[in-house]
Amino acid sequence: MRAAAARRSQPVHDVSCGRALRERALGQTGATDPASPLVVARIAAAIHDHCGHHLLKCRRLAMGWTVAQAVAATHELVRDAGLRKVGLSDRSWKDWEAGHPPSPDYQDLLCRLFSTHPVSLGFARDYSPPESDRLWSGTSTGATLPIGQADAGGTSPDDGTEVAETKRRDAVKLAGLALTAPATAAQILEAAAAEAMEFTRQAEATSLGSGTLDHLDLAVTEFHRAYSLKPPDKVFEAALDYRRKVDRFLKDDHTHRQERDLRAYAGWLSELLAWLAHDLGNAGTGLAFATDAFVQGQQAGHGQLCAWAMDAASSINLYEQRPVKAREAALAGLSEAPAGHPLTVRLHAQAARAAAADGDSEGFTAAFHAAEDAYRALPSRPPSCFGLDTAPLADYALTSYPATAFIWLGEAEQARDAAEHALHIYESAPEASRSPSREAIARIDLALAHAQLGSPDDAVALGHQALGSARVVDSVRNRAADLTACLTRRYPRQSAVQGLRERLAALDAAARPALPAAATGA
């Protein structure tokens, strides 16, 4: 307390002193310019201790910016991150440095700009006692990591603030992805979580450490939760960025156990990327990632991951009208799937659906009965996967797949009954667990049944309802193309059919190109 009071009583130095401290620090450490967030944090701490400036000003001087340059960098961040435009001026910035704190929105923006948190910018204080957090030791501006957790360059007064607080708070931000507004979800994935992982990795120097694996587990969990809630192109880009990071980690030094974990996370990310690529209409990329997920699962000794990968491969092949490949993938997945897991039900149902697509009614019946037997053998509380209940996957397979299979087998009345049953179940589900894409496919199956039974008007109406879904991914458009082809073939003079075809064509055009160019080489 006496030291802090002494600092406050000392005169504030001229900005040239802070600039000189920055140049000296960069020269001594050999850091490049722009410096990393950790180097900037050390310089800012030194300026604060020596010169007495407001912490925000110390952070700006540590970056080597004038006020005008800091304001320009903030506007550039807003533009690059796709954030809502702000009316930030030089005068506002100077007011903040004079001790007038900005609004919470601007505080968040400044924390993004400097890759830090409100405490280190002087907008808040951390009152938690040292013993309340095993990663936390010291005051808000003089915190350090516990012995053995600091980076190889030593601990300066702000290192612990940068690393420990970023790990703690940005991980919480990432964990809340499913609850945030859609406009901010992709930003959390692409910015906060990615930087938190990088800070953790820097703090662990040359070793991978458990912190990086913890971040990966959290990220993969939230990516899977975001899959059906967020736009697939945004989730794809963020997940692909993480997949590349894991690939770099695999090239670094690590233990055998860490390699197994990294292989597993790589596989889970690739499995998700396979589905996202499928949703975005790129079957080749989807199959490439499904294959990678299977191989990574084998390397990690993770049979369940291999089974999930083959489930994705089976669906993608099926929509690409390769029923034999789809069945082979389903059987390969079954050879790896753990007994008593809902995934076994789904894979048997995948094999049944593939048999139907191949015109094999007996094969469909046998495989579907196997799916029903596997369903009856499931435990009362099936396991979860990344915090998500896996039981609905089995329910969905037994509910939805028969309608599609009966369409392919030409059993229109059975298809109609199965589709009506599926649609009723989906529409009766709680709002939070409803799946727009599954409902859309059920409507298309029902529409195809009506088309085969001689009711084109009902079929067209259901087709429009399906295309009005909140999630018209490639599988929905693919099935809608089957519907329009059937209607055109059976009712070529129906003007309503042409209207449905035009709507589908517009949706197809808007959806492509959907994947980043770099992803096609996966």
Side-chain angles (χ1 to χ4, degrees):
M1 291 296 291
R2 286 195 298 271
R7 279 201 302 270
R8 286 195 295 271
S9 66
Q10 293 173 355
V12 176
H13 295 189
D14 185 82
V15 295
S16 60
C17 182
R19 291 170 182 158
L21 284 171
R22 178 180 185 273
E23 293 303 319
R24 189 179 310 141
L26 291 177
Q28 290 174 346
T29 62
T32 57
D33 199 1
S36 70
L38 281 176
V39 173
V40 170
R42 294 170 186 159
I43 297 171
I47 294 173
H48 180 260
D49 287 343
H50 187 267
C51 301
H53 296 303
H54 188 279
L55 286 169
L56 175 62
K57 186 172 184 176
C58 293
R59 201 56 75 116
R60 172 175 64 81
L61 292 175
M63 290 293 296
W65 288 342
T66 64
V67 170
Q69 288 172 328
V71 171
T74 306
H75 285 294
E76 183 179 356
L77 168 65
V78 168
R79 184 180 64 253
D80 293 346
L83 304 177
R84 181 167 56 87
K85 290 184 178 180
V86 296
L88 178 59
S89 64
D90 292 11
R91 181 174 180 178
S92 296
W93 190 287
K94 291 176 181 177
D95 284 344
W96 299 338
E97 291 188 355
H100 304 288
S103 68
D105 287 342
Y106 272 116
Q107 289 186 28
D108 180 77
L109 183 59
L110 293 173
C111 289
R112 288 177 183 271
L113 178 67
F114 291 111
S115 301
T116 187
H117 51 83
V119 173
S120 73
L121 296 182
F123 301 147
R125 292 185 63 83
D126 192 313
Y127 295 100
S128 58
E131 63 273 11
S132 67
D133 189 336
R134 67 182 181 85
L135 290 176
W136 188 247
S137 174
T139 64
S140 61
T141 58
T144 59
L145 286 174
I147 295 174
Q149 290 291 323
D151 75 8
T155 56
S156 65
D158 206 27
D159 293 350
T161 302
E162 281 296 310
V163 181
E165 276 296 288
T166 300
K167 285 173 64 177
R168 180 155 54 116
R169 297 183 182 184
D170 283 347
V172 170
K173 286 182 183 179
L174 179 60
L177 171 65
L179 302 178
T180 60
T184 64
Q187 296 163 11
I188 293 174
L189 287 169
E190 297 167 1
E195 292 192 0
M197 185 200 294
E198 192 61 25
F199 293 159
T200 303
R201 197 161 176 260
Q202 290 176 14
E204 291 163 345
T206 59
S207 62
L208 186 65
S210 61
T212 301
L213 295 174
D214 288 343
H215 274 296
L216 280 174
D217 185 73
L218 181 60
V220 173
T221 297
E222 294 309 323
F223 282 135
H224 279 80
R225 289 178 179 171
Y227 170 72
S228 60
L229 301 173
K230 311 302 175 187
D233 57 332
K234 298 298 184 184
V235 183
F236 184 95
E237 291 176 6
L240 180 60
D241 179 60
Y242 263 73
R243 180 63 185 85
R244 290 166 175 159
K245 282 181 170 62
V246 177
D247 188 60
R248 291 198 295 271
F249 295 159
L250 282 165
K251 294 179 172 66
D252 292 341
D253 293 334
H254 46 255
T255 66
H256 292 300
R257 181 174 181 177
Q258 287 172 338
E259 178 169 358
R260 288 197 301 271
D261 289 339
L262 286 172
R263 294 284 180 193
Y265 287 126
W268 285 118
L269 286 166
S270 286
E271 183 262 350
L272 180 64
L273 287 164
W275 284 111
L276 289 165
H278 172 53
D279 289 343
L280 293 168
N282 195 311
T285 301
L287 289 171
F289 276 117
T291 300
D292 180 63
F294 184 82
V295 170
Q296 299 296 340
Q298 285 185 319
Q299 294 290 322
H302 201 312
Q304 184 184 150
L305 171 56
C306 293
W308 283 108
M310 289 299 96
D311 177 53
S314 181
S315 278
I316 296 170
N317 275 304
L318 196 60
Y319 277 96
E320 287 300 298
Q321 300 181 6
R322 294 193 285 256
V324 174
K325 291 289 186 182
R327 190 189 291 192
E328 290 174 354
L331 295 177
L334 281 168
S335 68
E336 299 280 355
H341 196 285
L343 189 54
T344 60
V345 180
R346 184 176 170 94
L347 287 165
H348 279 301
Q350 288 277 36
R353 193 167 58 156
D358 202 28
D360 180 3
S361 60
E362 292 183 0
F364 162 75
T365 301
F368 196 74
H369 283 165
E372 292 175 318
D373 290 341
Y375 186 85
R376 286 189 287 270
L378 290 180
S380 57
R381 296 184 63 181
S384 62
C385 184
F386 294 108
L388 300 175
D389 185 9
T390 57
L393 293 172
D395 296 333
Y396 169 66
L398 293 184
T399 303
S400 179
Y401 288 6
T404 303
F406 286 134
I407 290 292
W408 289 335
L409 291 171
E411 302 288 345
E413 291 185 359
Q414 289 177 280
R416 179 193 60 200
D417 294 344
E420 287 177 345
H421 176 63
L423 195 54
H424 172 72
I425 290 177
Y426 297 151
E427 291 176 336
S428 301
E431 189 64 31
S433 60
R434 289 181 66 171
S435 172
S437 57
R438 291 175 183 174
E439 290 181 24
I441 290 175
R443 285 192 173 89
I444 292 172
D445 284 333
L446 184 55
L448 281 161
H450 279 299
Q452 292 179 3
L453 292 170
S455 301
D457 292 339
D458 290 338
V460 170
L462 285 162
H464 279 294
Q465 289 177 26
L467 294 182
S469 167
R471 188 175 172 81
V472 183
V473 294
D474 188 69
S475 55
V476 175
R477 297 193 302 273
N478 187 299
R479 297 288 289 132
D482 291 344
L483 174 60
T484 56
C486 175
L487 287 168
T488 301
R489 185 171 62 253
R490 288 173 175 264
Y491 311 100
R493 298 181 182 180
Q494 288 273 359
S495 59
V497 173
Q498 180 61 26
L500 184 63
R501 289 178 60 188
E502 290 174 356
R503 183 175 184 181
L504 176 59
L507 287 171
D508 274 335
R512 295 182 173 85
L515 282 183
T520 57

